[in-house]
Amino acid sequence: MQQWIAVTDGVWQWQDSCYVYLLKAPAGWVLVNAGSGELCEQMLQVAPGKPTHLILTHHFREVSAGAHALKERVPGLEVWGPAAEQFYFTDSEQHWRERNTWMLFDTRWDRKGPRVDVPIDRWLEDYDSPSIAGYSWRVNPTPCVSYGAVSLTVEHHGKTLAFTGDLLHSSGKVNRLAPLQYVYNDAMGVKNVYSSTVELAKLSPDFILPSCAGPISEPKSAIEKLQSNLQEYYRFIYGPQADLSVCSQKQVTQVLPWLYRSTVAATETYFVIGKSGKVACIDYGYHNSFPAPMTRDLAQWRPLLHSIPDLEAELGRKGIDAFIITHHHDDHVSGVPLLQRLYNPEVFAANELIDILAQPHAYDQQCLWHRPIQAKGKQSGVWHAWDGLRFRFDPISGHSRYSSLVTFDNDGVTVCHIGDQFLWRGGKGFNYASEAHFFSNHVYLNGPCRGDYQRFVGILKEHNPSLVLTGHSEPQTPDAIWYTKLEEGAKRWDELHERLMPLADSDPHGGVSSEVAKMSPYRTFLNAPAPFALRVHVTNPLNKAADVVVQLVGPQSWHLGVGKLLLTARGEGEIELRCVPSANTRCRRTPLTLKVTVDGQPWGELAEALVTIAYPQF
């Protein structure tokens, strides 16, 4: 009969479809990963102690499938799983339903995930230190074979143990290269393993306990050899210029005496230093050293901590005190909940952005971050004081109608952050250069209007900043030629739309975004069938007053509302329509569409809202 093997004081190992570890903690026995479950009875029968907790490092079946058998056979067993992998653990049916199987260029190993939902009791949030069986366990995000994977470190009998899942196999080796190829012939996962080992090395573990091999007793040497081998492979794929060592670079650089810039943020992140030394962060998105697969499921969108630890070392103080939001897009705000949890900063946004941040489910907008963000609203167009400096929000539109120009004034030195309002093309990346031309960066589904860019130029010139910051380029020092190119580009944007689209006063139209109607909330999520309401926003597409009839269209067994508005020429109006689902309704993301008739003329079903009823997930 197979036996548990002692690997260090108070830790045993069992070989199954993965290596399962059992640790004797002060208040219980902790299993790390579950294996297949096929040898569950034998494993429990000869175990040195009865497990009280089970921790999973990632979602692959080889480590998670046995959770069902263990849960059935061990009353009260508490199962913990990585929060970044909730989609796979608790919504497996939807994962398999959504996963494309044709014309594939998506080569992730997410098909190695659970066949059915895994019974998770508690979630492991990145960077938390939950108390499990009397020990404090640090949750370290380590994207590798799965982008949502974690490693767990714990102090045990005077040693730091690192349970790393499938991050590395042994000295200089990974278990498999195949799952590190996220997209057809790429090596993004290789970069993630390198970056994850950089972070792991900072924790100085005494033992590494992988899920795919036996313990590693010389972690420093094992990691260094692996990083060297990964670098060689990465250059083999991408060429001799490819350099993974940049993943170890210093993560902040000084722009002004009171302004720092992140060097690793996928979206530009800046830190403003107040008079007393307080720190305000402007936008905070994804970590550029950890490339995420560009796929649809939420497991691939994971904000990771960057820049702030190096800024803390630079300034000699901990944390950040304030957070300032330029606009609501995920690459600018995905890190806000993480920073709120870790540092509890004050979060400021213009009043116009507060609702879309707090209730993203209600909006049909691009690049929405799915988690609500609570922020303190600030009036636009006026100055606000913060730690001896002044800042203000001015509403702008073009890239997004939910966007602010953020201006800081420090003793007469003015810096403007324009978010993603415009960029440059023709130079290096989106940076400004003499040969670069204006790039409007407009997205029609974000609701731009004629005149947006020209109005923006006017606001910017009023502030006359000495430095302009953007979401995706280096800082810029505006001069006369810079403003001329900007003004010409803004004017050209209007001219081209007027030339290409029927936007004359006599034309029926929905503006440059071609949007006549929208509904809110865009996503309705009910535990059981119950009446609810949708708010309809309509713009009259005619240059004359008109009756506009709006009617919901959906399942025949539902009672769906209809309404009428009298709107002035090009006028806007809102009306609430009631929806009553049938008593036995069970649906998932069922669309309700909005039929619009203007002045007796059908315009079709112009908008939709999605409804989920009686499912555990939207």
Side-chain angles (χ1 to χ4, degrees):
M1 178 182 287
Q2 182 177 335
Q3 298 291 322
W4 288 87
I5 299 172
V7 295
T8 187
D9 191 17
V11 182
W12 293 263
Q13 172 187 283
W14 178 276
Q15 187 171 357
D16 195 81
S17 56
C18 73
Y19 280 81
V20 179
Y21 294 95
L22 181 63
L23 178 144
K24 187 181 188 305
W29 293 78
V30 181
L31 284 170
V32 180
N33 290 323
S36 67
E38 294 179 17
L39 301 177
C40 181
E41 291 284 6
Q42 179 186 343
M43 185 171 73
L44 292 172
Q45 182 180 346
V46 299
K50 178 184 175 182
T52 56
H53 298 77
L54 167 63
I55 298 174
L56 301 174
T57 58
H58 56 298
H59 73 276
F60 283 12
R61 289 190 296 273
E62 63 199 34
V63 302
S64 66
H68 292 275
L70 287 165
K71 190 78 169 172
E72 290 174 3
R73 290 166 175 79
V74 183
L77 181 70
E78 191 171 271
V79 182
W80 292 66
E85 305 225 296
Q86 287 187 47
F87 177 70
Y88 301 122
F89 285 123
T90 66
D91 212 6
S92 59
E93 181 182 1
Q94 185 68 14
H95 164 58
W96 291 109
R97 184 185 292 121
E98 289 183 0
R99 213 335 174 151
N100 180 34
T101 59
W102 302 104
M103 289 73 75
L104 281 180
F105 288 83
D106 177 358
T107 54
R108 292 171 301 141
W109 270 34
D110 61 335
R111 289 173 292 173
K112 305 297 182 183
R115 182 183 59 84
V116 296
D117 290 355
V118 175
I120 305 292
D121 298 299
R122 303 283 295 275
W123 294 109
L124 299 163
E125 294 283 356
D126 292 343
Y127 308 105
D128 266 3
S129 298
S131 177
I132 302 175
Y135 273 153
S136 177
W137 298 69
R138 178 181 162 87
V139 183
N140 311 291
T142 47
C144 50
V145 297
S146 171
Y147 193 71
V150 299
S151 294
L152 287 304
T153 48
V154 63
E155 297 299 316
H156 174 73
H157 293 187
K159 302 290 185 182
T160 300
L161 309 182
F163 296 90
T164 57
D166 213 352
L167 176 61
L168 71 169
H169 177 276
S170 52
S171 183
K173 295 182 184 295
V174 293
N175 187 32
R176 298 166 290 209
L177 281 168
L180 303 179
Q181 192 176 67
Y182 296 164
V183 180
Y184 209 71
N185 73 29
D186 84 334
M188 286 196 294
V190 170
K191 185 175 183 181
N192 279 334
V193 171
Y194 189 101
S195 297
S196 292
T197 57
V198 168
E199 298 303 316
L200 179 64
K202 293 176 183 178
L203 302 172
S204 302
D206 295 294
F207 286 96
I208 293 177
L209 297 104
S211 66
C212 48
I216 299 172
S217 58
E218 296 184 2
K220 186 174 184 294
S221 172
I223 289 173
E224 288 174 351
K225 288 179 181 178
L226 176 58
Q227 289 176 344
S228 176
N229 292 341
L230 290 171
Q231 177 67 86
E232 288 191 36
Y233 178 79
Y234 199 71
R235 285 179 171 154
F236 175 75
I237 299 297
Y238 292 115
Q241 78 288 347
D243 185 12
L244 285 173
S245 67
V246 298
C247 300
S248 305
Q249 69 180 348
K250 184 180 177 183
Q251 296 185 353
V252 291
T253 185
Q254 192 172 33
V255 179
L256 296 172
W258 53 278
L259 183 69
Y260 286 79
R261 174 186 177 224
S262 168
T263 61
V264 296
T267 292
E268 292 290 323
T269 293
Y270 288 90
F271 301 96
V272 176
I273 315 302
K275 296 292 188 182
S276 72
K278 288 185 176 181
V279 178
C281 178
I282 306 178
D283 291 352
Y284 195 93
Y286 305 111
H287 193 327
N288 210 29
S289 296
F290 290 93
M294 299 300 290
T295 53
R296 293 181 300 171
D297 58 73
L298 294 179
Q300 309 309 319
W301 302 98
R302 186 186 193 186
L304 299 174
L305 187 66
H306 62 79
S307 308
I308 294 175
D310 280 2
L311 183 68
E312 291 174 333
E314 183 87 6
L315 300 178
R317 70 184 300 275
K318 291 289 186 180
I320 62 169
D321 306 282
F323 194 101
I324 294 172
I325 295 173
T326 63
H327 62 296
H328 72 280
H329 287 170
D330 67 286
D331 56 332
H332 293 255
V333 302
S334 61
V336 178
L338 172 66
L339 299 189
Q340 286 178 308
R341 180 161 55 83
L342 296 180
Y343 302 110
N344 194 32
E346 290 186 290
V347 179
F348 301 123
N351 286 334
E352 294 85 351
L353 273 64
I354 295 301
D355 194 63
I356 194 171
L357 292 169
Q359 301 189 81
H361 70 277
Y363 287 81
D364 177 16
Q365 284 282 303
Q366 300 297 288
C367 307
L368 275 171
W369 183 240
H370 62 289
R371 291 189 174 182
I373 294 172
Q374 303 301 322
K376 294 180 180 179
K378 292 290 186 179
Q379 182 181 347
S380 293
V382 298
W383 289 99
H384 305 280
W386 179 80
D387 198 31
L389 281 64
R390 299 192 306 160
F391 75 95
R392 64 182 280 164
F393 297 107
D394 288 284
I396 56 177
S397 182
H399 176 67
S400 170
R401 67 176 59 180
Y402 300 99
S403 186
S404 301
L405 174 71
V406 177
T407 303
F408 265 91
D409 174 77
N410 186 354
D411 295 333
V413 177
T414 302
V415 174
C416 285
H417 196 307
I418 66 172
D420 290 353
Q421 178 71 352
F422 81 93
L423 299 162
W424 301 97
R425 275 190 169 151
K428 180 183 177 183
F430 291 128
N431 294 312
Y432 177 67
S434 58
E435 69 275 16
H437 63 272
F438 172 81
F439 169 43
S440 56
N441 197 26
H442 65 277
V443 178
Y444 293 109
L445 292 177
N446 286 336
C449 299
R450 275 186 293 176
D452 278 349
Y453 285 98
Q454 295 198 63
R455 284 187 287 272
F456 160 73
V457 174
I459 296 171
L460 191 65
K461 291 184 75 172
E462 284 181 15
H463 287 301
N464 190 28
S466 57
L467 195 66
V468 171
L469 314 178
T470 85
H472 297 280
S473 70
E474 296 172 358
Q476 301 168 36
T477 303
D479 56 19
I481 297 175
W482 189 91
Y483 275 114
T484 297
K485 287 187 174 186
L486 177 55
E487 289 172 326
E488 289 175 348
K491 184 178 179 182
R492 184 71 169 153
W493 193 86
D494 287 336
E495 291 174 346
L496 285 171
H497 284 86
E498 290 162 3
R499 183 183 301 179
L500 282 164
M501 295 179 64
L503 296 175
D505 286 344
S506 59
D507 293 323
H509 64 78
V512 297
S513 60
S514 302
E515 190 173 75
V516 172
K518 291 182 84 75
M519 291 195 289
S520 176
Y522 186 72
R523 303 160 190 83
T524 296
F525 184 28
L526 302 174
N527 292 324
F532 62 96
L534 293 173
R535 189 142 195 90
V536 175
H537 183 95
V538 186
T539 301
N540 180 5
L542 306 179
N543 194 23
K544 65 175 183 178
D547 285 327
V548 179
V549 178
V550 290
Q551 179 181 355
L552 290 173
V553 180
Q556 291 187 353
S557 60
W558 293 23
H559 177 74
L560 299 171
V562 60
K564 184 168 73 171
L565 304 91
L566 175 61
L567 298 179
T568 59
R570 311 289 187 201
E572 300 181 26
E574 289 192 348
I575 189 171
E576 193 170 271
L577 300 182
R578 182 176 169 82
C579 313
V580 184
S582 56
N584 60 348
T585 295
R586 188 171 188 264
C587 63
R588 189 161 200 189
R589 301 185 192 177
T590 293
L592 299 183
T593 57
L594 186 71
K595 184 186 295 184
V596 178
T597 303
V598 182
D599 200 28
Q601 175 68 43
W603 276 66
E605 298 176 18
L606 299 185
E608 84 285 341
L610 305 180
V611 182
T612 293
I613 300 175
Y615 273 85
Q617 304 282 339
F618 176 76

